[in-house]
Amino acid sequence: MKVPQIVTDLQLDSFYKSPELCFDEALKYDVNKADILARYGRMLISKHDYVHGIDKLTESIQFDKSSANWFAFSSRASANRTRYKNVCYKYRQGEHIERPEKSWLEDAKCDLIQSVEMNPSPGDMANLGEVCYLLGTDEEKNVINENQMNEALVYFYEAVQLLDGSKYPDIHHRRGNCLQALGEDRHAIECYKRAMETENPGTKHTYSFQFMLEILLKHYRQKQSDGQGAKSILSEIVFWFNEGRLNYKDLNKWMESVTNKYPNEMLEMCHEYRRKSNPMAAKMCLLWLQKLENQEQIKEEAGQLQQQIEDEFPGASGSNETLLTSQSSVDVSATLSEEALGEDDVNVEKVVNVHVTRQTSKQERIPQPLERAKNTKGKEYDFFVSHSSKDKEWVHYSLLLKLEQEYHLKGCVDERDFRLGEYITDNITESMGASAYILVILTPNFVESRWCKHEMKEAIHDCVEGGAKLIPILLTSCEVPKDIKKLTYLDAVDFFDWERLVRNLDL
């Protein structure tokens, strides 16, 4: 370790090389020993000297048990929690003979309860949730105490609600771990999605993405065997895998493992990306498939598909380019209108006689609707979604799944819920009138669509006449239309605050 010249000039080399000497010296002079001992303990713990670090923190707490020293309680809990997790990992790997001590977790729980009472924070509340989760599972992550697991879920929920806890990806991830251990796969998936959405772009922390993808692939395989609902899950997989491949670095190592476990499912993903005109995602998956061992038939199919994609998309290259989105569907809730007219100057008067006469081939892949709404206003739907069809995958596999699967709110979207054989304009008007809330998803695609503008005007009219409430959601930066500029909107450009949205869906 190179010593800075100024340290040498001041003859402090020994202190630089051994921070313990600094703390020992400080303890001789400073009257606030609790603070120094707390920091001393943290330093020792950072060097994995848990025993002596915890001793120093205990000394600190003995000097000062007041809320001013909450940091020592939090630090001691963190040391015991981390020590347990490290030994647990080594035990699973066969590197440690003795089982980790549950008493460490009990001590950590007591300290964290003290800490959050003194200084409530999302981090400590989530740590308390994780300690309960670890108390509720064995070294192999099997549930052994459901009461502790239920406590963990309560603390994780409170962590998300506290201050800006909903912006911490690790809180969503650990909450997902707890739900997954309890067999609540769908809720775990939604937590992993929230973790992905709050991660910094380009991060290497891919655990949430990995866990979510593996659960979805497992469910897709099961649904294929059952013969029901497989296409809906496949569409969800391809949407979220595409999100992941654009946001995360270095997927190769664990994606090779996933491909070995789910080769047929990965091949289906490639076919789906080809159908959706997204060659980049397809080619990325094909690279992993072509590395498979003892899977000659799948490798042959992958090679044939690779050639087909090369022929169909000769200009596609690289692995992380902008998505080549499918232009097969046209804007708005009324999918057929602009297709039928084929004109740039579409207006409502021209399409009043256009009927919805068929479902699109992709309709069966949208999540199935709930049986009944939760609102007390007698409305058929809790919310209607007004959006551009170019944003429909996000609506179907993020917004709809979140609000329907996790919060049990019944939504209305065009491709699933519009009545066949009715005029499109009537479908829009009736669906909005049958909804307690109207969510307007603002993106550049939305503001450029004349059909979306028509929907927005219908929504404003229905809010005035029918008592529905309009909630704009700014999903991507764009100019907010002047018709709704005076309304308070949810700014979801950098972070989607789901809890705030749900709080405002006052049903």
Side-chain angles (χ1 to χ4, degrees):
M1 179 172 59
K2 186 177 180 180
V3 179
Q5 186 59 45
I6 190 170
V7 173
T8 302
D9 294 342
L10 295 172
Q11 299 181 348
L12 297 174
D13 300 55
S14 59
F15 291 102
Y16 186 86
K17 294 176 182 177
S18 179
E20 291 88 340
L21 293 176
C22 293
F23 283 110
D24 289 335
E25 192 69 20
L27 287 169
K28 296 176 183 178
Y29 299 100
D30 199 284
V31 292
N32 187 6
K33 294 185 183 297
D35 177 61
I36 295 173
L37 285 164
R39 287 189 284 166
Y40 196 168
R42 287 283 291 186
M43 185 276 297
L44 291 170
I45 289 165
S46 70
K47 298 170 72 173
H48 305 290
D49 185 355
Y50 294 106
V51 174
H52 291 102
I54 289 171
D55 286 345
K56 294 298 180 187
L57 290 165
T58 301
E59 286 185 57
S60 172
I61 292 168
Q62 288 171 346
F63 269 104
D64 184 3
K65 294 183 175 67
S66 73
S67 59
N69 201 24
W70 68 268
F71 181 71
F73 287 94
S74 174
S75 299
R76 188 168 66 176
S78 180
N80 276 314
R81 179 177 58 91
T82 304
R83 177 166 59 160
Y84 178 88
K85 290 170 66 176
N86 288 345
V87 174
C88 200
Y89 176 78
K90 292 178 180 178
Y91 181 81
R92 285 198 300 268
Q93 301 298 315
E95 300 174 17
H96 205 281
I97 300 174
E98 296 181 4
R99 291 175 179 271
E101 295 285 340
K102 288 286 186 183
S103 60
W104 300 339
L105 296 176
E106 295 287 0
D107 291 342
K109 185 176 180 180
C110 291
D111 280 341
L112 283 167
I113 289 172
Q114 287 278 85
S115 179
V116 297
E117 286 178 357
M118 296 172 174
N119 184 62
S121 69
D124 270 355
M125 196 69 77
N127 289 341
L128 184 51
E130 185 180 30
V131 166
C132 290
Y133 159 70
L134 293 170
L135 282 167
T137 54
D138 62 16
E139 295 80 8
E140 301 300 327
K141 301 183 180 180
N142 300 309
V143 175
I144 57 174
N145 188 325
E146 287 198 7
N147 289 333
Q148 290 285 358
M149 298 296 282
N150 291 331
E151 267 195 81
L153 290 177
V154 170
Y155 289 128
F156 281 128
Y157 175 78
E158 291 182 1
V160 172
Q161 301 298 317
L162 191 59
L163 301 176
D164 57 349
S166 57
K167 297 182 180 181
Y168 293 5
D170 70 295
I171 295 178
H172 295 296
H173 177 81
R174 289 185 284 173
R175 189 183 185 189
N177 288 165
C178 188
L179 288 162
Q180 188 177 354
L182 285 166
E184 297 285 347
D185 283 358
R186 171 46 64 184
H187 292 303
I189 288 168
E190 294 307 310
C191 286
Y192 293 139
K193 288 178 183 177
R194 300 294 81 76
M196 289 176 60
E197 289 175 339
T198 50
E199 287 280 16
N200 292 322
T203 181
K204 292 184 178 180
H205 299 148
T206 61
Y207 292 113
S208 295
F209 181 34
Q210 179 180 349
F211 290 0
M212 180 205 67
L213 184 61
E214 290 208 42
I215 298 175
L216 285 172
L217 288 169
K218 179 186 73 174
H219 280 242
Y220 178 57
R221 177 176 289 179
Q222 291 171 348
K223 292 291 185 182
Q224 280 186 309
S225 301
D226 299 341
Q228 294 182 342
K231 289 185 177 179
S232 175
I233 293 182
L234 179 60
S235 293
E236 185 179 0
I237 290 170
V238 298
F239 173 78
W240 283 99
F241 176 81
N242 197 61
E243 292 290 298
R245 80 174 183 90
L246 294 171
N247 289 332
Y248 292 103
K249 293 181 179 178
D250 192 19
L251 302 178
N252 289 326
K253 186 174 181 180
W254 66 265
M255 274 307 302
E256 288 179 12
S257 172
V258 170
T259 306
N260 280 320
K261 288 170 67 176
Y262 299 99
N264 292 301
E265 290 75 14
M266 290 291 291
L267 188 60
E268 284 298 317
M269 286 172 60
C270 295
H271 283 293
E272 188 71 5
Y273 281 126
R274 179 194 170 199
R275 286 191 287 268
K276 289 178 177 289
S277 302
N278 188 346
M280 304 303 18
K283 291 169 78 172
M284 180 178 278
C285 294
L286 287 168
L287 286 174
W288 290 311
L289 284 168
Q290 288 164 357
K291 294 179 181 179
L292 289 172
E293 296 180 1
N294 305 318
Q295 296 276 3
E296 297 306 317
Q297 183 178 348
I298 288 180
K299 288 174 70 173
E300 183 178 348
E301 288 184 47
Q304 293 171 355
L305 182 57
Q306 174 83 26
Q307 188 57 56
Q308 290 170 349
I309 291 172
E310 294 287 354
D311 294 341
E312 291 175 17
F313 307 98
S317 61
S319 62
N320 253 338
E321 294 185 357
T322 304
L323 297 180
L324 300 177
T325 55
S326 173
Q327 301 299 318
S328 59
S329 57
V330 189
D331 269 335
V332 283
S333 304
T335 308
L336 297 180
S337 59
E338 293 188 35
E339 278 185 344
L341 293 168
E343 299 289 342
D344 291 332
D345 56 342
V346 176
N347 59 52
V348 177
E349 289 72 27
K350 288 185 178 181
V351 297
V352 292
N353 292 320
V354 179
H355 288 69
V356 178
T357 57
R358 61 175 174 84
Q359 293 176 311
T360 68
S361 61
K362 295 179 182 178
Q363 172 141 358
E364 60 185 334
R365 300 174 188 170
I366 302 172
Q368 290 298 304
L370 300 180
E371 289 187 11
R372 60 178 61 88
K374 287 179 68 175
N375 70 83
T376 57
K377 303 175 183 178
K379 300 286 189 177
E380 183 180 356
Y381 303 104
D382 292 318
F383 63 93
F384 173 89
V385 189
S386 176
H387 65 94
S388 163
S389 67
K390 294 177 182 178
D391 303 315
K392 68 181 179 181
E393 288 195 337
W394 179 86
V395 170
H396 294 167
Y397 305 114
S398 186
L399 179 78
L400 207 59
L401 282 173
K402 179 72 172 179
L403 295 182
E404 290 194 334
Q405 298 290 336
E406 185 168 339
Y407 293 101
H408 308 293
L409 304 176
K410 184 177 182 180
C412 178
V413 291
D414 60 313
E415 290 187 36
R416 184 188 69 184
D417 301 300
F418 274 13
R419 292 180 173 86
L420 300 178
E422 290 195 13
Y423 295 118
I424 294 168
T425 50
D426 288 346
N427 257 322
I428 294 172
T429 303
E430 290 172 11
S431 296
M432 286 185 177
S435 302
Y437 288 86
I438 299 168
L439 307 182
V440 178
I441 312 303
L442 298 173
T443 67
N445 297 325
F446 183 94
V447 297
E448 291 167 8
S449 165
R450 299 192 180 190
W451 257 107
C452 288
K453 290 176 183 176
H454 164 65
E455 272 197 357
M456 185 177 62
K457 289 179 180 178
E458 285 290 325
I460 294 170
H461 178 268
D462 195 74
C463 289
V464 174
E465 299 293 328
K469 186 174 181 180
L470 188 150
I471 299 180
I473 299 172
L474 184 63
L475 185 64
T476 309
S477 294
C478 63
E479 184 176 351
V480 178
K482 63 180 181 179
D483 291 331
I484 57 175
K485 215 164 192 177
K486 293 182 180 180
L487 295 177
T488 301
Y489 58 85
L490 178 66
D491 188 344
V493 174
D494 296 319
F495 168 72
F496 201 115
D497 192 341
W498 293 100
E499 283 68 30
R500 184 183 180 194
L501 173 61
V502 172
R503 282 198 307 271
N504 281 272
L505 295 176
D506 183 17
L507 301 171

